[in-house]
Amino acid sequence: MPPESIRKRSSRRLAWLGLALALCADAAQAGPAGNVLRIGNGAEPQTLDPHKTETVDGSRIVRDLCEGLTIVSPKGETIPGAAESWQISPDGLEYIFFLRPQARWSNGDPVVAEDFVAGLRRAADPKTGSSYAQMLEPLLNAPEVITGKKPPDSLGVEAVDDHTLLLRLRGPTPYLLGMLSHTTTFPIHRPSLKQYGDQFARPGHMVCNGAYTLDDWVVQSHVRIQRNRHYWNDAQTHIDTVMYYATEDQNSELKAYRAGDLDWATGYPVIQTPWIRKNLPAEFKMAPYLGISYFGYNLTRAPFKDNLKLRQALSLAIDRDIIGEKVLYGLSLPSYGWIPPRTEGVTPQTPAWSKWTQAQRLALARKLYAEAGYSKEHPAEVEIRYNTSENNKRVSVVVAAMWKQWLGVKSTLVNEEWKVFLNTRKLKKKTQVFRSAWIGDYNDASTFLDIMQSTHGQNDTGWSNAQYDALLVQAAAETDPLRRQAQLEQAERILLEDLPMIPLTFYVSKNLVKPWVRQWQDNILDYHYSKDMRIEGY
């Protein structure tokens, strides 16, 4: 999913953050604000509809509110969620899930198999407009449902009885259990959807089956959730209230954290990393993370449409070591391929030039740039579009400087507010180069490769390659793990050869967590359910 993006302050938050700034350094030593977890959550969530949310910020909240058949443990392992157990057929084409009989919605209604059937059908239904619908393609008939060729009730999901759910698959899907912890697969409280329609995920309307329930949402300020006393594992939930602050300005978020107004900061300006390492070493949480940052090319229009040599030249002219070490202060790793290290199911691929010196890369970049028809006298003019963020701006400025210095490219930088930026990307009418990133939704190569399929809702490059698409279809149906691995690796090589995007860096997760927040654990998905933590003294 796209990570958190802009951090723009609102007038309401200015008052809140102003209070934080007014606090002296001693406030940083203050303890917790009761049995409350206060999170600097980045951008304002687009929606809390589990089938429509597509950002890290929004999904972090939804995972506290709703629960899938599986969940992710604090260590990053897939474990039972709303389903207490399951059985898999010998051919891997049928999964039978046994729901917890004690599972309840936040209004006390029992959670039943039909709720999952309704949720999956809704997510796949093109009328819903879920950009994640294609994640469900492993289910029988899903491609036809997603494209409107078959009705949603033909999807391979069936309620055997109230507590038994059957999923029928198109092919063995080794990552299915991990995928079922994603919000797109979550159940839905059918009476609420029927009564409120698209407004069902608003305060006063939303009925949840997770550890918390939605209490308040003030746009551009905060989301407040309260403990769901009907949750099946409420006895093991410790924190009563969670506040998610839409602190889109990373400088303000860090100041609020230092002032003791936040218990957990999910973002801060990377330029502050040396100070944080020195002064907050015990609170600085950095770990491997399944994420990549990249620049996407719009291949539906000039100058990048049908211009592979220009795309290659610009990629070669970027010194990723400088970006990782100097611009991002060691908070990322150079990326030459698409699939991050530690991703299960494949050996990540890289182009041959990844092992060259930067001087060798620049020599080839200049050659390709000239062959593409550009020169000092006739430079390429490129627009780099990014969502508002100090870190995104720093990277964009440095890349533009590299292109200018080594090739003579004239770059124009454009920043946009997050929602506007997303819409601009999807329309593909104005973008040329756009900043982007992708965070793995589960630990399998498909979570990265699938988003570059021709018709995928997250493919904002307009790139289309029939062989690539076919390989992913073959891999989805493949029963032999080695053949599947070979198909996925070949797909990544095709992607890197066609180059609809420029891989920049692989992420590491970076959080600031107060010492009184207990039971925090790093994991490769950077998933941290509030129910798994506790506030010291409570």
Side-chain angles (χ1 to χ4, degrees), residues 14-291:
L14 276 174
W16 174 69
L17 293 171
L19 174 62
L21 289 169
L23 296 175
C24 65
D26 289 343
Q29 303 306 318
N35 194 13
V36 179
L37 179 63
R38 300 161 299 171
I39 303 172
N41 197 49
E44 172 75 16
Q46 290 177 295
T47 176
L48 297 181
D49 183 334
H51 304 138
K52 292 184 178 181
T53 185
E54 56 178 291
T55 65
V56 169
D57 318 297
S59 297
R60 185 181 291 121
I61 302 172
V62 173
R63 283 194 298 272
D64 273 350
L65 294 171
C66 311
E67 187 169 275
L69 295 165
T70 64
I71 56 177
V72 176
S73 77
K75 294 181 179 179
E77 304 157 328
T78 299
I79 60 174
E84 61 182 359
S85 63
W86 50 79
Q87 294 176 352
I88 306 173
S89 66
D91 60 6
L93 297 179
E94 289 189 350
Y95 283 63
I96 299 176
F97 292 89
F98 303 100
L99 306 188
R100 298 180 188 276
Q102 71 274 35
R104 293 288 184 276
W105 292 94
S106 55
N107 67 349
D109 289 349
V111 176
V112 296
E114 283 292 355
D115 299 328
F116 281 92
V117 172
L120 289 165
R121 287 177 177 172
R122 178 176 184 265
D125 189 340
K127 293 179 181 176
T128 303
S130 171
S131 65
Y132 264 104
Q134 282 164 297
M135 173 185 282
L136 303 178
E137 286 198 346
L139 295 177
L140 189 66
N141 294 327
E144 293 81 4
V145 173
I146 293 168
T147 55
K149 297 175 182 175
K150 286 188 176 181
D153 60 9
S154 65
L155 192 67
V157 54
E158 175 186 342
V160 178
D161 57 41
D162 278 355
H163 298 108
T164 307
L165 181 74
L166 170 63
L167 298 186
R168 295 189 177 90
L169 308 185
R170 298 167 58 223
T173 307
Y175 56 88
L176 184 80
L177 293 175
M179 188 189 85
L180 293 175
S181 68
H182 191 270
T183 62
T184 304
T185 69
F186 284 1
I188 196 159
H189 185 254
R190 291 167 288 152
S192 299
L193 179 64
K194 182 178 181 180
Q195 181 175 358
Y196 299 112
D198 284 346
Q199 297 300 305
F200 81 92
R202 303 293 302 180
H205 298 173
M206 192 171 191
V207 177
C208 311
N209 76 320
Y212 294 87
T213 186
L214 180 61
D215 181 52
D216 189 27
W217 181 0
V218 178
V219 175
Q220 293 295 346
S221 177
H222 66 266
V223 172
R224 182 173 63 228
I225 64 175
Q226 301 283 1
R227 194 164 161 181
N228 174 13
R229 296 295 180 178
H230 291 285
Y231 179 54
W232 66 269
N233 202 22
D234 181 61
Q236 298 302 314
T237 302
H238 303 287
I239 295 175
D240 288 339
T241 303
V242 184
M243 298 289 296
Y244 298 90
Y245 290 103
T247 51
E248 302 171 41
D249 183 310
Q250 293 182 329
N251 281 299
S252 296
E253 181 167 335
L254 178 59
K255 289 173 182 175
Y257 178 84
R258 291 181 59 192
D261 279 1
L262 294 176
D263 304 308
W264 169 12
T266 61
Y268 59 84
V270 294
I271 197 171
Q272 297 294 336
T273 302
W275 184 92
I276 290 170
R277 288 181 188 276
K278 179 180 179 181
N279 294 282
L280 303 172
E283 299 173 32
F284 180 46
K285 312 292 184 184
M286 187 176 82
Y289 190 25
L290 288 186

Side-chain angles (χ1 to χ4, degrees), residues 428-462:
K428 304 182 187 70
K429 293 182 178 178
K430 294 194 293 186
T431 51
Q432 291 186 347
V433 176
F434 58 89
R435 175 267 170 192
S436 192
W438 189 253
I439 306 301
D441 295 308
Y442 45 86
N443 193 353
D444 187 87
S446 61
T447 189
F448 291 94
L449 294 171
D450 285 355
I451 66 167
M452 297 306 295
Q453 282 183 300
S454 301
T455 58
H456 197 284
Q458 297 291 338
N459 181 0
D460 293 333
T461 69

